[in-house]
Structure formats: structure tokens, C-alpha cells
Amino acid sequence: MNLRELSLRTQIANHDKPPTEETRIRREVLRLALPATGEQLLGMMIGIVDTFLVGHLGAASLAAVGLANQWVFLAHTLLGALGTGSTALIARFTGAREPEMANAVLRQSMLVAVAVGLSCTALGTLLARPAVRLLGAPTQEVVVLSTTYLTTVAATLAFATLLYLGNACMRGAGDTRTPLYVMLVVNIVNIVVAWTLINGLFGLPKLGVWGSALGAASGQVVGGTIVLALLLRGKSGVQLRLAGLRPDWDMIRRILRVGMPTGLEQLFFRIGNMAYVRVLASLGVAAYAANQVAINGWSLSFMPGFGFAVAATTLVGQSLGARAPDSAERGGYVAYRMGAGLMAVIGLVMIFFPEQIMGFFTNDQEVIGLGALPLQVMGFVQPMLAASMIFAGALRGAGDTRWPMIITAGCIWLVRLPLAYLFAIVFGWGLVGAWSAMSLDMVLRGTFNFLRFRGGGWKTIQV
């Protein structure tokens, strides 16, 4: 037998072998993570497009959109509680092959989502101006522009709840592709409407920041409507039935018992981040604008982190539902290794090409100069950012949501905020000091979430 024949027979024999457990998990992680990463990219693109289009209107417009979005993100923390609880429970019931229970979770999640969305709309439209002032808007021009943006986007938050909650439920059922396609449509709507109205194309008025807000709001309306229609059809393994829909308080309590710690985690994070924003706003309009641009550049690294965290959440939840805790543990580690490797590559891009990243969003040389070094600082901690996101996602899939809450709240309030003030204001390091404090926060969160996952106590949690 010659070498060629031996090689051919070896290839055939290996092809006939069933894939190993590690290979199977890798394939499943990629199946779930890649569409979820794309979905996150498209979700981030809404903010990136807004920053790109508004960035050429000046630093005041950039700062205004950034401040308004702090309150929009806070509204999303309420969705985080529902979304995490819904994803974990639907994943568990899907793994246990109990589709009716998964549908019951969906029904109650969407019912509560509408109530939360309408409440956020009322608060956002009525309290927009004092909310913007509370964040320390540096000039009256920024106050006016930011109030306009926040009022417009808040008016459609009920549709945003349908969009994001519906996507979370589909991910729990193992369908990460449909949310990707929905977010693609949302982005197309946002880009077309915002670009047209910001610049006054086709004879329409030139609306500036308001045009950007109308683009984001239009995307939310279209996306929420599409998700509702898809869930009514039952396309993603879970189906929404409106007949006889009424509150099931026992199921709502189960969703909130799992999800509320995540909601509180995000609440602590957002309030802490708002205090962090006040520190940044005190550095001046140019520094805050640079921060906003740098965050949009840095947000590219969130995409794989989010995608592989979704994969970890779904795999851990479904494996525990199928009573396979060892597979759940392997899924978490595989998701981290793959996600951290990809994020490390993105970190290298941030380290070596910070000016080019900043220059994509704005041509203001002062803003580019202020934001380049902070991007480089954050590039070095990408593997730890991956650990903070992916291991937290794995813990949430198991229903272990309290520890990520404690870890996030402790690191934000005991590390990021005091060190940001110390480095940026007391030591006079400015934006670089604030981002250095944020990077230390990421390192500690990644370490503690890894240690909690390695401990294994999450394997016995009941949801």
C-alpha cells in the first residue's frame, strides 16, 4: 500500500467516526454564537450609525446623543430582568422537551413587556429635560438637543420591549438566526430614515439630531412589529397565543426570580455608569465627545462577547434541562475559549489602529487625539472582558443570576467610580484615567465570574 492510499483510507476512516463531545459542542457554540454575534453587531450598528452621522454635526451633537442614550440604556435594564429570566426558563424547558411550558413563559414575558414599555414611554417623554440635566449636560445647546433625542426615542419604547424581549425568547429556544434577520431590517430602516432626515435629502427638511432620533424610533417600531408577527406564527420553536391571555402570577414570579438579579445588576451598572458619565462630562464637551466615539469603536469587541455569552446561556440552560450538567460545564468553557480568542484579535486592532478607529466616526482632530489612548488601554483587557461576559452568560443560563449581580455592583461602585474620580480628576489624567479605571473593573469582573463558574455550585440551582 502506498502513502497516498494509506492517507486516503485514513481520511475515510476519520470521516466515518462520530464527532467527539468537544467537536459537537464547538459546532453548537458556533451555530448559536455566530448569528447572535451578528445580531449584536446590528444592534450596535444603530448607535454606531447615529454616532457616524451625527459626529459630523459637531461635538455638541455627539455629546447630546450620548447623554440621551444613557437613559435609553437604563430603560433596557428593565428588559434585562425579563429577558434573562425568559431565556433561562425557555432554554430549560426546551432542553427538557416541555414546549407548552416554554410557550407559557413566552406569553407572560410579552404581557409584562408591554406594561414595562408603556411605563418607560410615559416617563421618558415627561421627564426628558430634567433627566438630561441630571447627567450634567455641559451646555444649554446639549440640553436642548439631548432632550429632543430622548423624547423621540422614548415614544417608541413599547415597540422596543417587544423587539428585545421577543428576540430573547427565541434565543432561549435555540433560534439565534431569526433575531439576526430582524435586526438587519431594523438597521436598514434606521440608516435610511436617519441619513435622509439628518441631511435633508429628497427635499425633506434637514433635522440634524432629531433626524437621528426618528431613525432609531422607526427601527424600533418596525422591529417590534415583525417580532410580534413571527411569534404569533410560532416560527422559532415557541408560539405566542393571544386567546385567553391574562397574567399568570406564578409564572411571572418564576421569570422575575431568575431575571430580577440581572435587572438589578444592570440597574446598578447603569446608575453607576451615569455617575461615571458625570465624571466624564466634567472634563468638557470635547472629552465627552471623544468618550462617546471611543465607546462606539470599543463596542465592536462586545459583539463576539455577546454572541458567545448567548451561546453559553442557551447551552447551559438546555443541558441542565436535559440533566447533563457536565455537558453544560464543557459548553461554558468552550464558549469562553472561542470568544476570548476572537476578542483578543479585536483588542490588537484597538492597540495598533486607535486613530483610524476614531477617525471613522469623526474628523475632529481634538476628539480623535483624546480618544485614541483610551482605546489602546481597553485593547489590552479584551480576554478579561470576554470572561466577564461569557461566564456571566453561562451562570445566567443556569439561573445563577445573583452572583453576577453582586460582582458587577461591587466592581462598579467600589472600583470603577472611585478610581475614575481619583485618576481623571485628582491625578489629572483625564479621559485616559477614567478608562484605566474601567479596564481594572473589567479585569476583576472577569476573574470573579470565572471563579464562580469553576466552583460549580450553579449546577444544582432550580428554576
Side-chain angles (χ1 to χ4, degrees):
M1 182 185 298
N2 60 36
L3 289 177
R4 182 176 180 182
E5 290 174 340
L6 179 61
S7 175
L8 181 60
R9 289 191 178 187
T10 302
Q11 291 176 23
I12 293 172
N14 289 337
H15 180 74
D16 290 338
K17 288 180 181 178
T20 63
E21 178 73 4
E22 179 83 4
T23 300
R24 184 192 66 80
I25 292 175
R26 282 178 176 272
R27 290 175 180 172
E28 189 67 8
V29 166
L30 286 175
R31 184 187 72 81
L32 294 167
L34 292 182
T37 299
E39 180 195 351
Q40 179 69 357
L41 168 62
L42 293 171
M44 292 289 184
M45 281 299 296
I46 296 174
I48 290 172
V49 167
D50 286 347
T51 301
F52 175 78
L53 295 176
V54 170
H56 299 281
L57 299 177
S61 296
L62 269 174
V65 172
L67 287 172
N69 275 328
Q70 293 300 317
W71 288 106
V72 175
F73 296 152
L74 180 61
H76 289 171
T77 63
L78 298 174
L79 302 182
L82 292 170
T84 298
S86 302
T87 299
L89 284 171
I90 288 175
R92 188 72 68 97
F93 288 131
T94 299
R97 302 185 181 229
E98 298 181 39
E100 288 304 317
M101 291 298 294
N103 288 337
V105 176
L106 171 65
R107 283 162 58 90
Q108 298 306 309
S109 295
M110 300 304 284
L111 185 64
V112 177
V114 172
V116 170
L118 292 175
S119 299
C120 290
T121 290
L123 291 173
T125 52
L126 293 174
L127 302 176
R129 185 176 292 269
V132 169
R133 289 187 180 279
L134 185 62
L135 291 181
T139 66
Q140 183 60 27
E141 180 186 9
V142 172
V143 171
V144 172
L145 292 173
S146 190
T147 300
T148 299
Y149 187 97
L150 179 56
T151 303
T152 303
V153 174
T156 59
L157 282 176
F159 288 93
T161 59
L162 294 175
L163 171 62
Y164 294 112
L165 255 297
N167 282 348
C169 291
M170 287 188 276
R171 289 194 297 267
D175 180 4
T176 56
R177 289 189 179 185
T178 301
L180 169 66
Y181 300 145
V182 172
M183 291 306 298
L184 178 60
V185 175
V186 170
N187 269 267
I188 292 172
V189 172
N190 176 53
I191 291 171
V192 171
V193 174
W195 191 14
T196 300
L197 295 180
I198 287 174
N199 299 299
L201 303 179
F202 311 116
L204 294 171
K206 187 175 182 179
L207 300 180
V209 168
W210 189 26
S212 176
L214 289 171
S218 300
Q220 290 182 167
V221 170
V222 172
T225 302
I226 291 174
V227 166
L228 180 61
L230 291 172
L231 291 174
L232 289 170
R233 290 176 55 194
K235 183 182 181 302
S236 300
V238 284
Q239 184 168 16
L240 178 63
R241 299 186 183 93
L242 299 180
L245 181 59
R246 61 179 64 87
D248 179 345
W249 298 111
D250 287 337
M251 181 59 75
I252 290 173
R253 279 192 289 270
R254 289 184 72 176
I255 294 170
L256 293 179
R257 186 172 65 246
V258 175
M260 188 56 70
T262 297
L264 291 174
E265 173 192 347
Q266 291 300 309
L267 183 63
F268 287 135
F269 174 78
R270 289 301 171 195
I271 294 175
N273 201 53
M274 287 178 176
Y276 179 75
V277 164
R278 282 194 66 92
V279 174
L280 296 173
S282 69
L283 300 175
V285 173
Y288 187 80
N291 175 76
Q292 184 64 20
V293 173
I295 283 177
N296 277 280
W298 175 41
S299 68
L300 296 174
S301 70
F302 292 173
M303 297 179 299
F306 176 85
F308 285 93
V310 166
T313 299
T314 304
L315 280 177
V316 168
Q318 292 188 358
S319 296
L320 291 178
R323 302 184 184 278
D326 290 341
S327 291
E329 184 174 16
R330 282 193 292 270
Y333 282 126
V334 169
Y336 170 70
R337 288 195 296 270
M338 298 175 74
L342 187 53
M343 291 176 69
V345 173
I346 297 175
L348 290 175
V349 175
M350 293 165 61
I351 292 169
F352 289 109
F353 303 103
E355 292 88 358
Q356 288 81 356
I357 295 173
M358 294 290 296
F360 178 77
F361 298 102
T362 181
N363 54 13
D364 189 317
Q365 291 303 310
E366 182 182 9
V367 170
I368 292 173
L370 287 170
L373 185 54
L375 266 182
Q376 290 179 308
V377 170
M378 196 56 66
F380 284 102
V381 299
Q382 289 305 295
M384 298 308 297
L385 174 59
S388 71
M389 297 179 73
I390 297 170
F391 285 122
L395 294 171
R396 293 182 189 116
D400 186 5
T401 51
R402 291 185 181 181
W403 273 103
M405 174 193 71
I406 294 169
I407 291 167
T408 296
C411 289
I412 286 284
W413 288 92
L414 300 179
V415 177
R416 182 190 295 197
L417 285 178
L419 290 184
Y421 183 81
L422 180 67
F423 293 165
I425 306 300
V426 178
F427 291 173
W429 296 351
L431 197 58
V432 175
W435 277 58
S436 297
M438 183 163 59
S439 69
L440 290 174
D441 166 24
M442 298 299 174
V443 169
L444 289 174
R445 271 198 273 170
T447 301
F448 291 137
N449 279 322
F450 162 70
L451 292 175
R452 175 63 182 174
F453 184 79
R454 189 178 68 173
W458 50 270
K459 294 179 182 179
T460 59
I461 290 177
Q462 300 296 317
V463 297

